[in-house]
Amino acid sequence: MTMVDATVLKANPLREGLRIERPVESCTLVIFGASGDLTRRKLLPALFNLAQQNLLPHGFSVLGVARTSMDQDQFRDRMREGIGLSGANGPAEGPWASFAQGLYYLSADPHQAGDFSRIKTALEQIDHERGTRGRKIFYLALPPSSYPAVVENLGQAGLSRGDDSSGEWVRIIVEKPFGRDLESARQLNRAIHRVFGENQIYRIDHYLGKETVQNILVLRLANGIFEPIWNRRYVDSVQITAAEILGVENRGAYYEEAGLLRDMLQNHLLQLLCLTAMEPPVAFDAESVRDEKVKVLRTIRPFTVGEVRHFAVRGQYGTGSLLGRQVPAYRAEPNVSPHSQIETYAALRFFVDNWRWADVPFYLRSGKRLPKQVTEIAVRFKQPPHLLFGRSTASLLDPNVLALRIQPDEGISLKFEAKLPGQGMLLRPVIMDFRYGSSFGDDLPSAYETLLLDCMQGDATLFTRSDEVECAWGLMAPILEAWQNEGTEFPNYEAGSWGPLVADELIERDGRQWRRL
Ligand code: BG6
């Protein structure tokens, strides 16, 4: 692994200045669930990329832990293969050999308290060999039902605290989903807090690690022109869309438990809403940013179970045609009940009841098997107060829209009216477009690179705090309850269409329409 001194870290201009500069201290990342796909496809490729950019500290090591019986070499081969899948040609011999020196594997069952003495011994040995000095991050790449037991075992084994006086520290990264409703999220928070302090806990929402998501705050707060108009006086409404072409693929069993509201809305889309609506934080640090996000969640107008239909609608895809091929209905996907009542589409309408946003609707929608892969935040501005260019044009005027394209084709565009060249006063909307690719190159760091590095630095700005997660679940509570109690006629949208009719009705009742993407 290529190692560099902490002082020259984070030289990447895309990263610089965004978060607090902190040194990255040498440490061991212990991955529970190391034989799984997340480790091979996401975590190790992210770490390898960081190593290639000289962003990892000297001696940084990975200890993979899983029940699968494998020796060190087999583990390294598996990880190399995973990294190969994410890049064109796979890692070159030299860089790989140096990176692989820091990869260790231990076959152990993290549910068995008895196996933790071996984990402890392996960590001591790595500290000794690699100079990681008792600094560790535990990564729970496991099914959520395992979290409480593994956390308790870590506590009992004395692995949850470091000796501050000798510079040791311990952190834990918890993958989503964090609970499945308010009560289970509270229970999970309590279980983890019994062993770890909140400042040691890093709850992942990979959306927050996306370069374009971090750029929302830069756009708003590093430019003088946007913030003065970022409020109810000028903004008509906000639409946040995360559309996916893919169906549930081989994740039917998980989806039958989760559904789209839990999988996408409660976490990713609410995070986008928070970053769009929050007040400028007093500083760009974890507590200040998260305080402001929590305030947004707290100000979202509550509604009762009986009112849910005015605020939230759902859909499930039937069979249809997408990209020229016929695709099966959700109910015909593997491990899905033929009578499933689980939603694969949801649209919500929220109001952020504060001085800045009173009565400005925030529309959120997400769905599987939609015609296009696109995630964006579109801020639609009010029409000019008085129109000079003839009555006939007034109704034809397109509103100004600032669209933040999160992915793909990352960028920001502004739509405004221009005069069509020629005689007469004909107006046409035109688009001013910024593209990451053409301005900075296509090589954006993956969300996991950013998040892993932040955790090593002890920067929790891009991770969700316990109160934030609970507030988000609180908002979903009436919707989950209403949907659980009332059946719906599913399927109600064709694969390859833009979702169910009820979603159009939700927004059309307000005299608006979903953006055509
Ligand atoms: C995951 C969901 O959290 O996010 C998936 O479980 C979804 O269902 C994915 O496809 C979308 O992430 P991205 O980064 O591809 O937009």
Side-chain angles (χ1 to χ4, degrees), residues 42 175-176 205-207 210 242-244 246-248 251 254-255 260 262-264 267-268 368 373 375 406-407 447-448:
K42 298 278 186 202
E175 262 294 334
K176 64 147 257 201
D205 181 322
H206 78 281
Y207 259 56
K210 289 180 191 281
E244 291 187 276
L246 288 179
V248 293
R251 297 164 77 219
Y254 157 73
Y255 232 75
L260 190 122
R262 293 186 174 94
D263 188 45
M264 293 293 292
N267 39 36
H268 307 326
K368 302 267 181 205
Q373 192 76 21
T375 303
I406 305 298
Q407 63 191 22
Y448 278 99

Side-chain angles (χ1 to χ4, degrees), residues 443-455:
D443 203 12
L444 300 181
S446 76
Y448 278 99
E449 283 174 50
T450 304
L451 296 173
L452 286 167
L453 191 63
D454 278 8
C455 178

Side-chain angles (χ1 to χ4, degrees), residues 503-517:
D504 293 339
E505 288 164 5
L506 179 83
I507 192 166
E508 283 165 9
R509 272 201 299 270
D510 294 344
R512 299 187 181 84
Q513 292 194 321
W514 292 111
R515 264 164 66 76
R516 263 171 277 144
L517 299 172

Side-chain angles (χ1 to χ4, degrees), residues 180-187 469-475 477 480:
R180 61 183 323 274
D181 54 21
L182 179 57
E183 193 38 44
S184 56
R186 279 188 180 143
Q187 274 172 18
V469 175
E470 291 183 13
C471 274
W473 278 120
L475 283 169
L480 290 170

Side-chain angles (χ1 to χ4, degrees), residues 319-431:
T319 181
S321 151
L322 241 171
L323 304 178
R325 104 190 143 86
Q326 198 64 20
V327 295
Y330 173 71
R331 287 178 174 179
E333 301 276 17
N335 301 317
V336 170
S337 152
H339 311 290
S340 175
Q341 278 292 317
I342 288 297
E343 79 285 355
T344 58
Y345 177 102
L348 310 185
R349 171 174 164 267
F350 279 144
F351 291 94
V352 179
D353 277 344
N354 60 19
W355 277 63
R356 187 191 281 264
W357 295 116
D359 296 327
V360 175
F362 285 73
Y363 301 103
L364 279 55
R365 65 175 162 164
S366 179
K368 302 267 181 205
R369 288 282 190 234
L370 301 186
K372 206 169 164 186
Q373 192 76 21
V374 56
T375 303
E376 70 148 42
I377 301 168
V379 180
R380 178 178 150 159
F381 292 92
K382 291 187 172 164
Q383 298 289 25
H386 173 66
L387 275 169
L388 281 178
F389 308 112
R391 278 190 171 273
S392 59
T393 48
S395 58
L396 299 176
L397 269 192
D398 266 32
N400 298 141
V401 176
L402 184 72
L404 284 69
R405 281 190 311 274
I406 305 298
Q407 63 191 22
D409 194 17
E410 292 83 356
I412 296 173
S413 70
L414 178 66
K415 186 163 80 167
F416 57 93
E417 291 292 327
K419 178 182 177 303
L420 195 67
Q423 300 312 318
M425 191 50 86
L426 289 177
L427 308 188
R428 286 287 180 278
V430 290
I431 301 233

Side-chain angles (χ1 to χ4, degrees), residues 70-85:
M70 231 188 312
D71 63 23
Q72 210 102 281
D73 289 336
Q74 286 168 321
F75 178 65
R76 289 177 179 174
D77 288 347
R78 210 177 140 80
M79 295 305 114
R80 185 174 188 174
E81 186 192 288
I83 295 167
L85 293 176

